[in-house]
Structure formats: structure tokens, C-alpha cells
Amino acid sequence: MHRTLFPRPGPPGTDEFAMSFTSTPQGARLARLFVAHCLDASWGHPYDSEVNETLTLVTAELSANAVRHGRVPGRDFHVRLTTEAGGELRLEVSDTRGERRPTVVPPADPDAESGRGLLVVTALADEWGVTDRLGGPGKTVWASLKAGRRPTESTLADR
């Protein structure tokens, strides 16, 4: 079965998009583009909107973590984007490494080039968490964002 990367906009009321990606840096990049496209083409959040930019950045961080820490050779990671009651957007990134649960810990070395992804997710998302992956081995890391909310510099500093 052939699946296109960018689905055509669904009918009004479409409330879910989901796709699997290879556990590679290219897969993480394509997951980010997939979410940005779905938000723009189907749900009316243009690429340059604050909602699209925020959720795309969260997607990039969670997808990079799935590739770096959740990779099992030969297994893909899965991205699911849904709208919830009240206009909230929910992003889920699932991988097959259930024993490696993410936690927010500031990097030991303040000059380190990595280790801040979940700090970014914590600052940008209204909520986030980790659950067991439904229907298979692994975990799902999820984040939610109110569609009309935009983090300001003061809310980023407060977190």
C-alpha cells in the first residue's frame, strides 16, 4: 500500500492524522514537515502562525528523541496529531523502547550541545507526558497545546 507523505486536506471535521516514519534523522525531519503541513492544509494554522511553529518545534524535539533514544533497528516511530474538545491539539510520538522513559533534567554541562529538548517541550506545551504504547511494545510521549495559546517570553521564563 502506498502512502503519501502529505495527505490532501480532509473533509471539514477531520480530527486525526497519523503516520509512521523511519527511525532516522531524515524520518524525524519528515515527521516535522508532516505535522506542519497537516496544521496548515487541513486545520487552518498557516506555516508562519505561532501555533504551527510551536507544535512543529515540539514535533522536532519529540521525533529527535524517538530516533536517538527510542530506536530499535528495523522499527519505525509513529506520529499522531489530533484535535481535542475545546480546540486543543495533541501530538503523540510513539517508539518501541518502553524501558527508556524521558525525564526533564537540565544538562550537567551548561555548554553541552544536546540535552535540552524536553526543557523546550516543557516550556512550549501546555501539558506533556509519557504513557505505555497502545497496541504494541514501547511508549508514547505526548504533548498538548491550546490552539489559540502562544507562549510569551514571560511564560517561558516562568517554567
Side-chain angles (χ1 to χ4, degrees), residues 49-146:
S49 72
E50 295 171 359
V51 169
N52 194 312
E53 289 178 349
T54 300
L55 203 53
T56 299
L57 179 55
V58 170
T59 303
E61 296 297 342
L62 295 183
S63 296
N65 283 352
V67 168
R68 181 175 224 175
H69 305 292
R71 182 177 185 276
V72 171
R75 299 285 182 105
D76 295 339
F77 72 95
H78 186 81
V79 173
R80 181 173 176 252
L81 180 65
T82 62
T83 59
E84 304 289 315
E88 189 171 74
L89 300 172
R90 181 178 171 102
L91 171 73
E92 298 176 354
V93 177
S94 301
D95 63 54
T96 53
R97 295 284 304 265
E99 74 279 7
R100 297 190 75 178
R101 301 280 176 150
T103 59
V104 179
V105 178
D109 178 2
D111 296 326
E113 292 184 15
S114 63
R116 292 176 183 81
L118 288 176
L119 292 171
V120 171
V121 172
T122 300
L124 295 177
D126 290 312
E127 291 183 84
W128 76 273
V130 184
T131 60
D132 290 333
R133 185 177 189 177
L134 294 175
K139 66 184 174 296
T140 297
V141 182
W142 60 270
S144 64
L145 179 74
K146 291 183 179 91

